[in-house]
Every structure is written in C-alpha cells, then in structure tokens.
Amino acid sequence: MLFRSLSRKTLSIAEAGAVGCVAHIDGEHLHVASTGDCQAVLGVRGQGETTWVGMPLSEPHNSENLSEVNRLMSEHPPEERDTIIQNDRLLGQLMPFRAFGDVR
C-alpha cells in the first residue's frame, strides 16, 4: 500500500507541467522556441507558385523524434530502458518528453 501511494505521488509530479511554442519576429529575424509535442510551422510559397507549403521550424519532443528518444535513454540507467518509454509515452503516461511549469 505504501509503495502504491509513493508511486502515485511520483507520477503526479511527473504529470504536472505544460508545453508551448512561441515565435518572435524582429525585423528580418524570426526566433522560435518550443518545448513538448507542439511545433512551429511557417507557410511558404515559392516564386510563381500558387499553393502554400508548411515548413517546420521546430521539432516536437516526443517518441517520433529519435534524438529525443536517444537523449532520454542516455540520461537513465540501463535497467530503466524498458520502463522509461512505454507505448510511445514517457513513463507510459506522457506524450511530450519535455515540458515546463508546475514542478514541485
């Protein structure tokens, strides 16, 4: 019972937080910052073209991003390799691998 209670408390801390993405235009410069599983996309249209194409400006921090998976695996001991990512989710719960905010 004590172990189950501690596990719930640990997961509640890990589940708290937020993801976000922001873009700032300063003259001819575009600055993008993001964390989590959100992504900045710029609509571009080539010279003489009539259709817009989405150009990603950031990479989401989730299981589809191989560099994020490798980062997580490198930051945890080998014995946690089977538990850190389960069903493409962090700790089997969270879709984003990075977040900010309500960390106690």
Side-chain angles (χ1 to χ4, degrees), residues 21-22 27 30-32 39 61 64 66 71 83 89 98:
C21 185
V22 64
L30 173 64
H31 307 273
V32 176
Q39 188 172 20
H61 301 117
E64 295 176 9
L66 186 58
R71 180 190 65 83
T83 58
R89 293 176 179 267
R98 294 186 191 213

Side-chain angles (χ1 to χ4, degrees), residues 4-98:
R4 192 174 281 168
S5 174
L6 288 175
S7 294
R8 235 180 256 125
K9 286 182 181 181
T10 302
L11 278 177
S12 69
I13 291 170
E15 291 174 342
V19 300
C21 185
V22 64
H24 175 256
I25 299 172
D26 182 15
E28 61 185 37
H29 301 281
L30 173 64
H31 307 273
V32 176
S34 71
T35 189
D37 59 353
C38 51
Q39 188 172 20
V41 178
L42 177 66
V44 295
R45 189 167 62 172
Q47 191 172 16
E49 294 183 22
T50 58
T51 58
W52 291 86
V53 177
M55 182 175 79
L57 299 178
S58 63
E59 293 186 13
H61 301 117
N62 59 27
S63 64
E64 295 176 9
N65 183 333
L66 186 58
S67 63
E68 274 300 292
V69 172
N70 291 335
R71 180 190 65 83
L72 272 174
M73 293 301 182
S74 72
E75 292 179 359
H76 288 82
E79 59 270 14
E80 292 181 5
R81 288 189 179 266
D82 294 336
T83 58
I84 193 69
I85 300 173
Q86 298 174 356
N87 299 321
D88 291 330
R89 293 176 179 267
L90 183 62
L91 302 175
Q93 300 283 319
L94 305 170
M95 182 61 90
F97 285 4
R98 294 186 191 213

